[in-house]
Amino acid sequence: MHTDTIRTPRLDLLPLRVEYADEMAAALSDPALHDFIGGGPSSPEDVRVRYERLVAGSPDPAVIWCNWVLRLREDHRLVGTVQATIAGTTAEIAWVVGTPWQGRGLASEAACALVARLAQRPGTDTVVAHVHPDHAASAAVARAAGLQPTEEEHDGETRWRLSLAP
């Protein structure tokens, strides 16, 4: 899958680049972002190392990593990320928006654009996301993107699914 810029009404989803690491480390520096996923904020250097690994691509040729940063056009700031890991016919997606920009529908806007892009990709027939059962905001993003909760759990999170098959 070619990772190019995706435009939404308010956002540019820019293909991940290592040089975004410092700004993204700052945008995602609130410890509250980790309440449901664990861990804590990463240093700019740790983000840079992670981005180098992501930009290089998956070491498994059967897996495709697609990563974007979210640039809010109104102030030209990076505010979050979306990603898709594609293995076979399934794309597993995730999103995060920095605390100062939450509550504005940006994560939903980005996730919807990502799912729309995945729907155009030949061979992708399922989109999944993992959402902590107590994370209402993330559940709202998944629902807005067309995913529905399943009875499946993985590492304490509910698996949400969308079938793209006709």
Side-chain angles (χ1 to χ4, degrees):
M1 179 169 156
H2 182 66
T3 306
D4 55 358
T5 299
I6 303 170
R7 290 181 58 89
T8 71
R10 298 177 292 169
L11 298 166
D12 290 323
L13 283 62
L14 304 172
L16 183 68
R17 295 185 357 202
V18 175
E19 51 265 29
Y20 297 143
D22 289 345
E23 188 174 354
M24 287 307 305
L28 304 178
S29 64
D30 184 353
L33 286 175
H34 300 270
D35 286 350
F36 293 103
I37 60 173
S42 297
S43 71
E45 180 56 34
D46 288 342
V47 174
R48 187 172 298 103
V49 168
R50 181 171 189 263
Y51 284 7
E52 287 170 352
R53 188 176 67 251
L54 292 173
V55 168
S58 172
D60 181 345
V63 175
I64 302 168
W65 291 344
C66 303
N67 296 275
W68 292 265
V69 296
L70 312 178
R71 182 178 63 201
L72 184 60
R73 280 196 300 279
E74 73 183 28
D75 62 7
H76 303 285
R77 295 190 63 180
L78 299 181
V79 300
T81 65
V82 291
Q83 63 187 48
T85 300
I86 304 169
T89 61
T90 300
E92 187 168 321
I93 65 171
W95 52 84
V96 63
V97 170
T99 305
W101 302 279
Q102 290 180 1
R104 298 168 55 181
L106 297 173
S108 293
E109 188 173 318
C112 287
L114 175 57
V115 168
R117 176 59 57 91
L118 292 166
Q120 296 172 352
R121 181 182 184 274
T124 301
D125 65 15
T126 304
V127 177
V128 295
H130 296 98
V131 177
H132 190 282
D134 296 329
H135 199 323
S138 209
V141 172
R143 191 169 282 108
L147 284 78
Q148 295 295 319
T150 69
E151 297 297 319
E152 300 171 51
E153 282 194 21
H154 179 74
D155 290 335
E157 295 182 321
T158 302
R159 183 175 296 216
W160 289 61
R161 184 182 320 269
L162 169 65
S163 175
L164 300 174

